[in-house]
Amino acid sequence: MKIPFSDLKKGFENKHYKFSAKDLKLNSIFFSHDIIDFYLSVISKNDEFQINGILHSKLLEKCDRCLDQFIKNCKFPLKILLSNRKNSDNHFDVIPFNQLKEFFNFRDIIREIMIIERPFKTLCKNDCNGLCKECGKNLNKTQCKCESKSLNSPWEKLKNL
């Protein structure tokens, strides 16, 4: 997704962009809808650009407990500083840019954000019951008649405290 530097120099607030998820070429992330919404705000100061934004996407996920597929609405924050100077501002990731180019391409930044910001563990719902350890049935949909076997664990006596 390319944005002209002329637009960045003017600055803007909550400008809406749409782009195709296919352009990101993410093999490990699956989208339920191809369109990703991107809202950007830019403050231009002394050839530096403070950029805040939010990515909205719908991911096709698989629950880590029950293995069902579900659609997850995701919001990924973006907070960067485009600069050619070395800056120690801790609130922004500083990204150098070439002033001779006509556009700035956000594709690689968006790819990284989507990979880094995705949760490590995905659940279809917070109180997902998962699968039965004995028969493998999805306990969110049906109840099984399996008896849970007590394990002889060295920690078993702590339950009585």
Side-chain angles (χ1 to χ4, degrees):
M1 189 185 91
K2 296 179 182 178
I3 297 178
F5 275 112
S6 59
D7 287 355
L8 294 177
K9 285 181 182 179
K10 293 176 192 172
F12 50 83
E13 192 170 330
N14 282 335
K15 194 168 184 180
H16 182 220
Y17 295 92
K18 289 185 178 198
F19 62 96
S20 172
K22 293 176 187 171
D23 293 341
L24 296 176
K25 298 178 183 173
L26 291 166
N27 297 330
S28 61
I29 299 176
F30 301 99
F31 297 88
S32 66
H33 299 293
D34 183 47
I35 300 299
I36 296 176
D37 292 306
F38 192 27
Y39 297 89
L40 276 183
S41 296
V42 177
I43 298 171
S44 177
K45 290 182 184 176
N46 303 326
D47 287 332
E48 289 186 333
F49 308 103
Q50 292 180 4
I51 300 173
N52 290 301
I54 296 177
L55 288 161
H56 292 269
S57 65
K58 293 186 178 190
L59 301 180
L60 187 60
E61 297 281 8
K62 186 180 276 190
C63 181
D64 287 330
R65 285 188 192 158
C66 68
L67 305 179
D68 275 353
Q69 283 193 335
F70 66 99
I71 295 173
K72 183 173 185 176
N73 292 321
C74 294
K75 291 182 182 181
F76 300 104
L78 170 77
K79 195 170 189 177
I80 59 173
L81 177 68
L82 295 181
S83 177
N84 280 331
R85 294 185 256 162
K86 292 189 178 185
N87 197 334
S88 62
D89 189 342
N90 292 332
H91 301 291
F92 290 87
D93 290 329
V94 179
I95 298 174
F97 68 94
N98 184 347
Q99 291 181 346
L100 300 176
K101 291 188 176 181
E102 191 174 334
F103 295 93
F104 183 77
N105 193 345
F106 282 87
R107 187 189 69 214
D108 292 339
I109 294 169
I110 292 169
R111 287 182 82 238
E112 288 179 19
I113 288 171
M114 294 194 87
I115 291 169
I116 292 171
E117 293 290 328
R118 262 184 79 217
F120 182 72
K121 186 172 186 168
T122 56
L123 298 176
C124 59
K125 55 186 180 176
N126 287 338
D127 60 344
C128 176
N129 294 318
L131 302 174
C132 174
K133 295 175 187 174
E134 299 298 318
C135 67
K137 288 184 181 177
N138 185 338
L139 298 175
N140 295 318
K141 295 178 181 176
T142 61
Q143 289 189 353
C144 65
K145 297 179 182 179
C146 299
E147 294 180 26
S148 65
K149 296 180 181 177
S150 177
L151 301 173
N152 289 332
S153 163
W155 307 108
E156 194 69 34
K157 294 195 180 210
L158 292 176
K159 290 181 182 178
N160 296 331
L161 293 177

